[in-house]
Amino acid sequence: MYRLLYFGVDLDPKNPDNILHDPRKGIVATDITCTLQVNSAASLKFTISKSNQWFGRMEARSATHEVALLDDDEYLFRGRIIEDAQNIKTQCSFTCEGQLSYLNDSIVRPYGTYSDTSKWDRVVPASPNEVYRWLISQHNSQMDLSKRFEIGDCEITPKENSLTASSTTYPTTSNEIKDKILDDYNCYLIDHFRNGTRFLDLTLNGYGLCEQSVEFGTNITDFSTTQKVDDIITCIIPFGKDSDNNTFGISSFPDQAIDEKYVKEGDHVYNSEGVERYGKIVKQISYDSCSTVNALIGAAKNDLESSSYALESLSVSAIDLHAISSDIKPIRLGEWVRVISKPHNVDQNMMCVKIDINVNNPEETKYTFGSTLATLTNSNIIKAEQTRKQITQVIVQTQEISDTAKAAAKEATGATTIASEAKTLAASKSTNYTSQPTPPYNVGDTWTDLTNNIVYTCYTSRLETEEFNKSDWCET
């Protein structure tokens, strides 16, 4: 069961005074959506009415309070309010950003992995692991305890791999981690909150295999694929930097087949399968972390492996079976999930890279599996991608799933009983009172006061054993 809380960073989340949304307690927020995505700060939106105990009491960018979304006792989101908007004095909508955004609050002072006293006095060990750990330590040194992170999983490259990096532009810690680590080493940054501590996991391959699968005819309600052809590259001209920081290429290296798929020819490396399918599409890429020709050719080969084909991701609306049975573990970000859809010839394990949670209507939650962004390790293409105003995509909408099939999927998984709040909201839509309501009544019920010609909407549920309370109802 989802709960939405607002509380001081050091307070007990089980305190009932902290509740923003918990249908079991008769306290309800509406339009609650939460987006979780690898390498990005999470986002959360919700609306509360005047009858909610926190109406008019929450502050944007508070240094002492946060909003949290929990599934049972597991934190899915924890972060700060960044925007609020009041609607006709009866409702207030909020937008929040997740705790990963706290890395935008600190800056990185000039440093390098080699000595250059004219530009910086901080020399960091020339290892990807050590640079990442140093960046987190720099963030922590600038923040109070409430915004600090502990390092959880950390698997970038072996410690002996060197990294040549520097900065003199005072970037945010978030941007420097992206530029120097995430973009260059094809890894995933995922934040967690456990036992009162914020953790950052940096992983190359995500987490393990999820115990449950998503399958057409069982718990999939919608299915579509996105294919990106704009970023296809079949041929790379690579440049690296040697130990003296001099730029070099691979022209001096003998032309030869690297393996059955990749060929070094002149100043470039190409993917023979990609060239056969798409022709030669050439890009020049700089690999500042490569100091030898062999490392440079290997880096180009690795990039061609991921960029010589149209990247495809699956967007699936599916019912999380954990909502039906607590014995089934939920689908979590970074996990590998078996996706099965016989009508679409799909049966493979794919990483969950994004989850769009619909708290009030859990059956509309969407999962995105597979690569959604280019995985190039270069410093040029990634930055060009960031400034591109329009990305051309080929959207392949798969065979439409019929309403009958969707209904069968929902019935098969018990979607109509996925959560008590969903049932409550669904049932409430059909109830309209023309005289003062008598409990039980539910969130979403309407009451038309014929004497004064006023329509009220219910924002707080009452059980049959409870008494009517006028504050449960607000003018529409």
Side-chain angles (χ1 to χ4, degrees):
M1 172 70 74
Y2 292 118
R3 291 183 293 146
L4 191 64
L5 308 177
Y6 181 73
F7 52 91
V9 292
D10 297 322
L11 298 181
D12 180 8
K14 295 184 179 180
N15 187 328
D17 292 339
N18 300 327
I19 297 173
L20 276 168
H21 173 83
D22 188 343
R24 293 168 298 187
K25 304 293 185 181
I27 303 174
V28 177
T30 59
D31 303 322
I32 309 172
T33 59
C34 180
T35 297
L36 310 175
Q37 186 169 356
V38 297
N39 294 350
S40 299
S43 64
L44 175 75
K45 295 182 178 182
F46 64 94
T47 299
I48 61 173
S49 70
K50 190 166 60 176
S51 62
N52 192 289
Q53 61 183 350
W54 280 104
F55 188 87
R57 298 171 57 200
M58 295 189 291
E59 182 181 352
R61 291 197 174 274
S62 169
T64 60
H65 282 70
E66 290 182 312
V67 174
L69 177 66
L70 292 85
D71 184 3
D72 296 328
D73 292 323
E74 179 182 357
Y75 283 90
L76 301 182
F77 174 96
R78 183 155 173 158
R80 60 191 172 192
I81 297 171
I82 58 173
E83 182 181 339
D84 57 54
Q86 191 162 311
N87 178 18
I88 321 179
K89 298 183 179 181
T90 61
Q91 290 185 323
C92 197
S93 299
F94 297 87
T95 300
C96 310
E97 62 182 4
Q99 61 187 1
L100 195 61
S101 66
Y102 297 164
L103 294 178
N104 290 317
D105 296 348
S106 58
I107 56 95
V108 180
R109 293 175 172 82
Y111 78 98
T113 57
Y114 54 94
S115 179
D116 189 338
T117 55
S118 66
K119 296 180 179 178
W120 55 76
D121 57 11
R122 297 173 180 83
V123 178
V124 181
S127 155
N129 277 298
E130 294 302 324
V131 169
Y132 168 68
R133 292 176 182 276
W134 181 81
L135 290 172
I136 298 302
S137 71
Q138 293 303 294
H139 166 82
N140 289 342
S141 70
Q142 299 171 54
M143 298 291 109
D144 60 35
L145 289 172
S146 68
K147 290 185 180 180
R148 294 178 186 175
F149 291 91
E150 293 290 331
I151 292 177
D153 295 342
C154 183
E155 47 179 56
I156 313 174
T157 57
K159 290 184 178 180
E160 60 269 18
N161 284 23
S162 63
L163 167 64
T164 302
S166 64
S167 173
T168 59
T169 59
Y170 292 84
T172 65
T173 305
S174 177
N175 285 339
E176 191 67 359
I177 290 175
K178 184 180 188 307
D179 288 344
K180 299 300 193 294
I181 303 298
L182 301 183
D183 289 347
D184 278 0
Y185 291 94
N186 302 331
C187 44
Y188 302 97
L189 186 64
I190 304 174
D191 59 283
H192 299 279
F193 188 90
R194 298 188 298 269
N195 301 321
T197 302
R198 306 183 199 279
F199 288 93
L200 291 176
D201 287 347
L202 189 65
T203 172
L204 287 169
N205 300 304
Y207 303 118
L209 183 65
C210 181
E211 291 183 0
Q212 66 168 298
S213 60
V214 294
E215 185 172 0
F216 178 86
T218 301
N219 57 342
I220 289 179
T221 58
D222 274 301
F223 183 107
S224 65
T225 65
T226 300
Q227 211 174 35
K228 291 186 67 175
V229 297
D230 232 27
D231 299 319
I232 292 176
I233 300 170
T234 61
C235 177
I236 290 177
I237 302 173
F239 286 101
K241 286 190 176 180
D242 61 22
S243 57
D244 296 323
N245 210 32
N246 297 315
T247 300
F248 68 94
I250 63 172
S251 296
S252 61
F253 193 82
D255 291 349
Q256 61 183 24
I258 301 170
D259 55 31
E260 60 183 13
K261 188 189 303 183
Y262 296 96
V263 178
K264 185 273 173 186
E265 183 179 78
D267 63 353
H268 60 273
V269 177
Y270 68 86
N271 180 322
S272 57
E273 291 182 357
V275 169
E276 182 178 354
R277 184 172 182 179
Y278 300 107
K280 278 198 172 183
I281 303 174
V282 185
K283 295 290 182 182
Q284 184 277 312
I285 299 176
S286 295
Y287 301 91
D288 294 345
S289 59
C290 293
S291 57
T292 67
V293 171
N294 284 332
L296 198 55
I297 291 175
K301 174 186 169 183
N302 288 340
D303 273 351
L304 287 170
E305 182 68 33
S306 62
S307 60
S308 294
Y309 308 95
L311 297 177
E312 184 174 276
S313 65
L314 300 181
S315 180
V316 173
S317 294
I319 298 160
D320 188 346
L321 300 182
H322 172 71
I324 308 303
S325 172
S326 59
D327 294 333
I328 301 175
K329 291 186 176 181
I331 299 171
R332 291 294 184 242
L333 200 66
E335 290 186 333
W336 291 84
V337 180
R338 186 180 179 189
V339 182
I340 306 168
S341 181
K342 292 182 179 179
H344 308 109
N345 297 315
V346 172
D347 186 349
Q348 57 186 307
N349 292 325
M350 306 185 74
M351 184 189 292
C352 180
V353 296
K354 183 180 180 182
I355 306 176
D356 293 298
I357 302 171
N358 189 320
V359 171
N360 302 106
N361 297 287
E363 68 272 15
E364 294 182 9
T365 292
K366 292 182 181 293
Y367 301 88
T368 301
F369 302 100
S371 298
T372 57
L373 298 173
T375 55
L376 293 178
T377 63
N378 72 82
S379 58
N380 297 345
I381 303 299
I382 291 290
K383 291 173 184 176
E385 178 76 13
Q386 292 170 348
T387 60
R388 189 178 300 170
K389 292 183 179 179
Q390 185 173 4
I391 299 176
T392 303
Q393 290 187 335
V394 177
I395 307 295
V396 182
Q397 183 67 45
T398 59
Q399 176 185 349
E400 183 178 355
I401 300 175
S402 68
D403 291 340
T404 302
K406 290 182 183 180
K410 291 183 179 181
E411 183 178 357
T413 56
T416 54
T417 58
I418 194 166
S420 62
E421 68 178 282
K423 290 193 299 180
T424 300
L425 290 172
S428 67
K429 295 177 181 178
S430 62
T431 305
N432 177 46
Y433 298 91
T434 55
S435 59
Q436 178 177 304
T438 301
Y441 48 74
N442 300 305
V443 173
D445 286 353
T446 56
W447 164 28
T448 303
D449 184 344
L450 299 177
T451 303
N452 299 305
N453 197 28
I454 298 175
V455 178
Y456 298 90
T457 300
C458 177
Y459 289 98
T460 301
S461 299
R462 292 286 174 185
L463 300 176
E464 187 173 5
T465 55
E466 297 179 288
E467 295 182 358
F468 169 83
N469 190 326
K470 181 67 179 295
S471 64
D472 297 340
W473 302 77
C474 293
E475 290 185 30
T476 302

